[in-house]
Amino acid sequence: MNQLANKYLQIICILIIIFSFGTFECYGQDQVSNEFDEVYNIGKQIAEGVALSIVTGLSLVDQDLEYSFTAEPDIFTYQENTWPILDVIVETQSKKIGDSKITFVLVLEIEKSSNVVVGTVKNVKVNGQADESLNILNNTMYIETEEGTKQVQLINGQLSLVK
C-alpha cells in the first residue's frame, strides 16, 4: 500500500510542476503582450504596408500573383533592454515567378520626441536566403500615418518622411 501511495504522490508532484510551468509561461506572455499591445497593433499596420509594397512590386511581373500575410508578436532582449518585434511572413503564389516565402523582422520602437511608433525592417529573406532584390529593405524605417505606411529616416534626431 505504501508503494501505491508513493506512486500517487509522485504523479501529483509531477502534475503540480507541469501546471506551475504552464501557468508561469502564460503569465509572462500575457504581461509582455499587454505592455506592448498598442505598439503591436500599430506595428502590424506597418508590417502590412511593407508587405503590400513588396507584393505590389512582384505583381508588376505577375498580375495574377496571390499572397498571404502574417505578423506574429515577439520580443527581443539585449542586455537590460527589451523591444517589441514582429516576425513577418509574406507567402506568394505565382505561376510566372514561382512561389516564395518572404520573411523579415520588424523592430518596433517609440520615437521619444513625437511618441510615434517606428518600425525598422531587419533580416529580409526569401525562401530562407538573403536576396539582392529585397536587401534594400534592410534597416529601412516606417511609420503609420493617416495616409498609410510611410518610409522615414532620422535626420538630426528628428523623423523625416522620405520622398
Side-chain angles (χ1 to χ4, degrees):
M1 184 73 168
N2 197 10
Q3 287 181 332
L4 186 59
N6 282 341
K7 286 285 185 190
Y8 282 123
L9 186 58
Q10 287 175 341
I11 291 172
I12 289 171
C13 287
I14 290 171
L15 289 174
I16 289 171
I17 291 170
I18 291 170
F19 179 74
S20 297
F21 282 124
T23 303
F24 176 76
E25 185 66 28
C26 291
Y27 173 76
Q29 288 174 351
D30 289 344
Q31 188 177 20
V32 169
S33 175
N34 289 337
E35 179 182 353
F36 296 122
D37 275 349
E38 184 62 27
V39 174
Y40 285 134
N41 288 335
I42 294 169
K44 284 182 180 181
Q45 293 174 23
I46 295 170
E48 189 171 11
V50 173
L52 190 57
S53 294
I54 293 169
V55 170
T56 300
L58 293 174
S59 69
L60 294 174
V61 177
D62 182 359
Q63 294 178 346
D64 295 327
L65 177 95
E66 295 181 12
Y67 77 98
S68 63
F69 159 82
T70 58
E72 293 297 323
D74 203 348
I75 57 170
F76 173 74
T77 302
Y78 179 72
Q79 295 180 349
E80 295 179 12
N81 298 306
T82 298
W83 293 270
I85 64 172
L86 291 171
D87 293 315
V88 182
I89 300 172
V90 181
E91 294 186 83
T92 63
Q93 297 83 38
S94 169
K95 292 179 182 173
K96 290 183 181 177
I97 58 177
D99 298 347
S100 297
K101 182 177 182 180
I102 302 162
T103 59
F104 61 91
V105 175
L106 192 65
V107 179
L108 303 168
E109 300 177 80
I110 299 176
E111 201 276 327
K112 290 179 173 80
S113 66
S114 62
N115 210 28
V116 170
V117 175
V118 179
T120 304
V121 176
K122 299 282 188 181
N123 202 25
V124 179
K125 293 185 178 181
V126 178
N127 299 326
Q129 303 294 317
D131 184 88
E132 288 283 324
S133 62
L134 294 178
N135 195 35
I136 194 166
L137 290 174
N138 278 318
N139 297 314
T140 55
M141 299 167 49
Y142 297 88
I143 62 170
E144 192 63 28
T145 69
E146 290 178 8
E147 294 85 35
T149 304
K150 301 289 182 182
Q151 186 177 355
V152 294
Q153 58 187 355
L154 198 57
I155 300 175
N156 296 327
Q158 297 292 319
L159 288 176
S160 300
L161 291 175
V162 173
K163 297 181 184 204

